[in-house]
Each structure stands twice: as C-alpha cells, then as structure tokens.
C-alpha cells in the first residue's frame, strides 16, 4: 500500500516540476536516492546582511508603490529597513534578528527612525488630501512588507536551529532499530525467539525509517523556505 502511495506522490512531484520548468526534466538531473546530497540548495552563509531582503519581490513591489507617490526610496529604507546581520557565526538566527521581535510573541519591535523627509516634492496633486492618504497607505504597506520579510526569515532560521538535532536523533533511532531487527532475526534463526519478535522489530524499523524520511524532507523543505524568504538564492 505504501509503495503504491509513494509511487503516486513521486509521479505527482515530477509532474509539478515539469510544469515549473516548462519541459520534461531529464532523469539524470533528478536525485536517485533519498540520501543523495542536493548541492543546488546551499546552507545560508554566516554573517549574511539584511540587505539581501531588498531583492524580495514583495519589498520591491512596496517600494515601487512608494515611488509612485514621489517617495525617496533611499530615505524610506533608512527610516524603515533594519540594517543588521541575519545569520550568526553558527549558521542560525543572529541576536540582532531576535532583538527585532519581542521574546515569545514574535511581535515586531522595531521603531522607524524617520530623520529625513521620505517624499520628494511633486506636482500640485501632492498637496491634495487624497494624495496624502495614498502616501500613508503606501508607507504602511512598505512597513508591513519589511516586517513580514524579517519575521519569515526569523521563523525559518529558528526551525533550522533544531532540525539538524532532530535529524541526528532520528538517524540514531533508525540505526538502533536496524540493529535490533538484525539481532531478532539471528535469535529466531537460532531458535531462541519466535517469529513474532522478528515482526515486531521489523515494524519498529519501518516506522523509524518513515520518520527519518520525514525528517530529511523537513530539512530540505527548510532549505527551500530559506531560499525563498531570503529573496531567492541570496544566501548562497
């Protein structure tokens, strides 16, 4: 049953990949085993600056809306965008990143430092109330986009901080279950235990292997998430 289900999932994933690429992906480009190293997904580099987030499409969109309201983007970034290090030397979220959020709530804790006028002089329309409201909306959307970007990075790095430990623990459990299964088979062949003990050990090994697959998938999914939230490959 599981073989048929996983075969279907693999086929569906290959179809989705072909759709994204726009053509059939050659089999040689696909991983052949679950343990194969996917070198195209690199871990984030320690000391990564927050400037990489300026490449995110949502922040670029928010800045373009500000430009449409005659905003000085340099002044807007100086006011609203925290210039910090995102990744610590250990490869996890930095203390500077954590300090942007209240402990335990992930509530945004950064106050814009508005020391320069954000908006440049424009036409007479800039003096109208409707233009001022549009400007306020654009500023709010810009601030929200920045806050969302930093929170998504913080969440992804927080998961990364524990996922390797989970993977190591699950690998150890799988190895131990495999050894237990091997010993139970040997004891059965020597007439010491019944075959029921072998079946129990086999079932435990299978469950451990399934959980190990899930842990590996979680780590790969975390790498993909980091790739996305950092603006698409900026962390390499």
């Amino acid at each position: 049953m599981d073989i048929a289900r996983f075969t279907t999932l693999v086929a569906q994933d290959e179809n989705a990949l072909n759709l994204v690429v726009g053509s059939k992906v050659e089999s040689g480009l696909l991983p052949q085993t679950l343990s194969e190293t996917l070198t195209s997904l690199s871990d984030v580099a320690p000391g990564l600056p927050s400037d990489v987030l300026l490449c995110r499409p949502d922040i670029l969109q928010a800045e373009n809306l500000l430009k449409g309201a005659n905003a000085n983007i340099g002044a807007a970034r100086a006011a609203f965008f925290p210039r910090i290090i995102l990744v610590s030397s250990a490869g996890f979220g930095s203390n500077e990143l954590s300090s942007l959020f209240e402990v335990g709530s992930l509530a945004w804790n950064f106050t814009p430092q508005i020391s320069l006028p954000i908006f440049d002089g424009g036409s007479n329309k800039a003096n109208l109330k409707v233009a001022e409201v549009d400007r306020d909306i654009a500023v709010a959307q810009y601030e929200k986009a920045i806050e969302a970007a930093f929170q998504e990075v913080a969440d992804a790095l927080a998961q990364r901080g524990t996922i390797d430990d989970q993977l190591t623990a699950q690998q150890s459990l799988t190895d131990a279950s495999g050894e237990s299964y091997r010993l139970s088979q040997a004891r059965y062949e020597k007439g010491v235990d019944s075959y029921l003990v072998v079946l129990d050990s086999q079932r435990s090994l299978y469950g451990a292997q399934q959980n190990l697959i899930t842990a590996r998938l979680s780590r790969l999914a975390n790498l993909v998430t980091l790739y996305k939230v950092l603006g698409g490959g900026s962390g390499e």
Side-chain angles (χ1 to χ4, degrees), residues 6-189:
F6 286 126
T7 299
T8 299
L9 291 175
V10 170
Q12 291 174 340
D13 288 341
E14 288 182 355
N15 290 338
L17 184 59
N18 292 336
L19 178 63
V20 172
V21 174
S23 62
K24 183 174 179 58
V25 179
E26 297 181 8
S27 59
L29 298 177
L30 300 174
Q32 301 303 311
T33 64
L34 286 174
S35 59
E36 185 173 339
T37 300
L38 301 182
T39 56
S40 59
L41 291 175
S42 302
D43 285 339
V44 292
L48 188 69
S50 59
D51 284 356
V52 298
L53 302 184
L54 294 173
C55 297
R56 284 176 50 120
D58 53 345
I59 291 183
L60 291 174
Q61 180 186 32
E63 288 191 346
N64 283 328
L65 290 175
L66 281 177
K67 288 179 182 178
N70 296 316
N72 182 320
I73 297 304
R77 288 179 178 176
F80 290 96
F81 193 87
R83 305 279 180 166
I84 64 170
I85 297 299
L86 296 175
V87 185
S88 69
S89 59
F92 305 135
S94 68
N95 291 333
E96 291 178 287
L97 180 60
S98 299
S99 68
L100 294 178
F101 303 93
E102 294 180 3
V103 178
S105 66
L106 286 183
W108 188 243
N109 195 33
F110 178 80
T111 303
Q113 304 298 318
I114 302 178
S115 58
L116 295 173
I118 293 178
F119 293 98
D120 299 325
S123 62
N124 290 335
K125 181 182 177 181
N127 296 321
L128 298 178
K129 186 66 177 177
V130 64
E132 294 176 356
V133 172
D134 288 342
R135 287 178 172 183
D136 291 342
I137 293 175
V139 169
Q141 290 176 333
Y142 181 58
E143 187 173 12
K144 181 179 180 181
I146 291 175
E147 178 183 341
F150 278 87
Q151 180 168 343
E152 288 176 0
V153 172
D155 289 345
L157 288 173
Q159 184 187 25
R160 184 179 185 275
T162 60
I163 200 168
D164 284 342
D165 291 339
Q166 296 173 19
L167 185 57
T168 299
Q170 189 59 46
Q171 182 67 63
S172 297
L173 177 60
T174 302
D175 293 342
S177 298
E179 181 65 14
S180 176
Y181 174 57
R182 186 188 68 80
L183 291 175
S184 67
Q185 281 187 309
R187 290 173 64 86
Y188 168 72
E189 291 171 358

Side-chain angles (χ1 to χ4, degrees), residues 209-232:
Q209 290 172 333
Q210 292 294 96
N211 290 333
L212 180 59
I213 291 172
T214 300
R216 287 173 175 170
L217 288 176
S218 295
R219 189 179 192 283
L220 292 176
N222 178 250
L223 286 174
V224 172
T225 299
L226 282 171
Y227 183 92
K228 180 184 72 173
V229 301
L230 289 171

Side-chain angles (χ1 to χ4, degrees), residues 177 180-181 184 196-206:
S177 298
S180 176
Y181 174 57
S184 67
L196 180 60
V197 176
V198 177
L199 291 177
D200 285 340
S201 297
Q202 186 181 48
R203 182 166 53 250
S204 297
L205 174 60
Y206 182 74

